[in-house]
Amino acid sequence: MDWQQGGTSVMEISHRGEAFMRVAAEAEADLRELMSIPANYKVLFLQGGASAQFALVPMNLTTASSTVDYVNTGHWSNRAMAEAKRYCRVHVAADAGGGYSRVPAMSELKFSDGAAYAHYTPNETIGGVEFGYIPMPRGAPLVADMSSSILSRAVDVAKFGLIYAGAQKNIGPAGLTIVIVREDLIGRARADTPRVFDYEQIAEHGSMLNTPPTFAWYAAGLVFKWLKRSGGVAAAEERNRLKAEKLYAAIDNSQIYRNPVAKDSRSRMNVTFTLRKPEWDLSFLEQAARAGLKNLNGHRVAGGMRASLYNAMPLAGVEALIEFMREFERTHS
Ligand SMILES: Cc1ncc(COP(=O)(O)O)c(C=O)c1O
């Protein structure tokens, strides 16, 4: 209510005022530092979520006669692909199919020549499937929907043409979307692209073509500072690796829990599992909630359970879950 002794909250001040401009610039600088973003990339702070980018990417990077490559590994890549089909020709570079329980091997990716870009989803949030490698398209810029994996592990940004992510997992509150785009890909938007959706216009105006989501941007800045203080992305990656390893080991060593994902494709962020008897699901969720372990139900399209281990989840939270799961197993075998 009295941000920086100004007598107002950060939500009440003008986004064009000096104080907020400082917040905005600092958040960008911190993100650049955390991800080692090269100088020839713009960082855009947008609205509309990752779902808006499903359309804005083809609107900004293709013409109606373009072909684009999509790797289909589950729900979110499917959604991205369906949207792209409304704008240009989509070539499926690989379809993991069969329940989407694994990531295709690099050798299975059939990228086309002359594609405007190649798109993939490094982490499928619902299926709990994650790439352990960065695909290499044939000369086309690589586009990644990093909504549920950004800042969870180190990535070489220079390998990407464009990275986008809804903020609400590892960055901050919903309402903010980050786009990291290589400069040579800016300025190609279709003529009928609304100005507020044109990367060139957005970049030229420092993401302030119109009023940005100021509070979400401010909160994201606080998260970036926290991440820097806690050792940066490398330390987060190590924590995430350990959390996921412990939980998968507990699942694999149990008689009643099962994770359906191929071991080399298991997500560090979203650990899915089923119970041997689906009729136990409800009591598992109720007892877990009573133990303070909430939101463990799988996404409505997938069922089962899902433990999301985003950066903000401490190891102690995972250990508490494992302990609860063991106790539940003792009474349900
Ligand atoms: C990988 C991925 N892509 C896209 C989305 C959609 O994001 P939004 O709700 O920000 O549009 C989500 C949401 O969970 C996601 O996990």
Side-chain angles (χ1 to χ4, degrees):
M1 298 306 290
D2 187 20
W3 183 63
Q4 295 188 345
Q5 290 82 50
T8 60
S9 79
V10 70
M11 278 187 276
E12 297 169 276
I13 59 170
S14 164
H15 62 286
R16 300 197 190 279
E18 202 192 310
F20 188 79
M21 293 296 267
R22 237 190 344 263
V23 167
E26 220 169 286
E28 180 179 335
D30 286 338
L31 181 62
R32 282 184 174 279
E33 187 183 327
L34 282 165
M35 292 183 72
S36 305
I37 300 173
N40 63 325
Y41 284 73
K42 294 282 190 215
V43 179
L44 312 178
F45 290 77
L46 308 178
Q47 306 181 54
S51 301
Q53 296 308 314
F54 293 165
L56 298 196
V57 168
M59 280 169 96
N60 275 274
L61 301 187
T62 70
T63 65
S65 60
S66 299
T67 297
V68 290
D69 288 343
Y70 274 72
V71 181
N72 186 5
T73 47
H75 181 87
W76 291 113
S77 35
N78 246 307
R79 292 275 293 267
M81 201 160 65
E83 194 72 3
K85 280 183 184 158
R86 302 177 61 218
Y87 296 92
C88 54
R89 210 154 14 135
V90 169
H91 165 77
V92 181
D95 191 318
Y100 294 110
S101 55
R102 70 181 190 94
V103 155
M106 184 106 78
S107 59
E108 291 172 70
L109 304 179
K110 306 291 178 226
F111 290 116
S112 48
D113 289 318
Y117 62 82
H119 179 285
Y120 84 118
T121 309
N123 183 62
E124 284 283 356
T125 323
I126 295 176
V129 170
E130 184 170 8
F131 278 77
Y133 69 94
I134 297 176
M136 279 194 303
R138 294 200 207 165
L142 182 62
V143 174
D145 171 5
M146 284 197 194
S147 294
S148 52
S149 54
I150 194 164
L151 296 170
S152 71
R153 60 199 296 164
V155 291
D156 180 359
V157 174
K159 294 207 163 98
F160 297 84
L162 187 148
I163 291 168
Y164 64 91
Q168 61 269 27
K169 273 88 172 175
N170 276 337
I171 293 176
L176 175 70
T177 315
I178 302 282
V179 172
I180 301 166
V181 54
R182 212 173 60 208
E183 276 168 358
D184 62 290
L185 298 174
I186 294 178
R188 303 178 180 194
R190 296 179 183 207
D192 57 359
T193 304
R195 266 185 93 221
V196 288
F197 299 150
D198 178 339
Y199 295 149
E200 184 175 40
Q201 293 291 327
I202 299 163
E204 261 177 29
H205 291 84
S207 302
M208 295 202 190
L209 190 63
N210 64 330
T211 314
T214 53
F215 185 72
W217 194 332
Y218 162 77
L222 298 182
V223 174
F224 299 153
K225 294 234 179 283
W226 163 74
L227 200 49
K228 277 174 61 177
R229 275 198 311 276
S230 51
V233 173
E237 176 168 1
E238 186 48 28
R239 289 192 292 271
N240 291 330
R241 194 192 56 72
L242 187 65
K243 288 185 293 183
E245 201 174 274
K246 286 198 166 210
L247 187 49
Y248 283 119
I251 292 168
D252 291 343
N253 293 329
S254 88
Q255 301 300 314
I256 68 162
Y257 307 111
R258 186 176 165 271
N259 169 271
V261 180
K263 284 197 172 149
D264 66 353
S265 307
R266 285 174 163 182
S267 169
R268 290 178 185 171
M269 291 286 97
N270 310 99
V271 178
T272 58
F273 59 95
T274 51
L275 273 62
R276 198 173 66 217
K277 294 186 182 167
E279 60 265 32
W280 291 343
D281 285 6
L282 204 59
S283 58
F284 179 88
L285 289 168
E286 280 170 3
Q287 289 180 34
R290 276 202 297 277
L293 301 158
K294 299 187 181 163
N295 297 319
L296 284 167
N297 44 318
H299 190 278
R300 63 196 144 73
V301 304
M305 306 295 154
R306 176 176 56 165
S308 286
L309 312 182
Y310 297 121
N311 282 350
M313 171 60 67
L315 179 61
V318 177
E319 285 169 342
L321 173 60
I322 292 169
E323 187 47 43
F324 168 78
M325 287 168 71
R326 286 202 182 118
E327 189 51 40
F328 188 87
E329 182 166 359
R330 270 194 282 278
T331 50
H332 293 79
S333 45

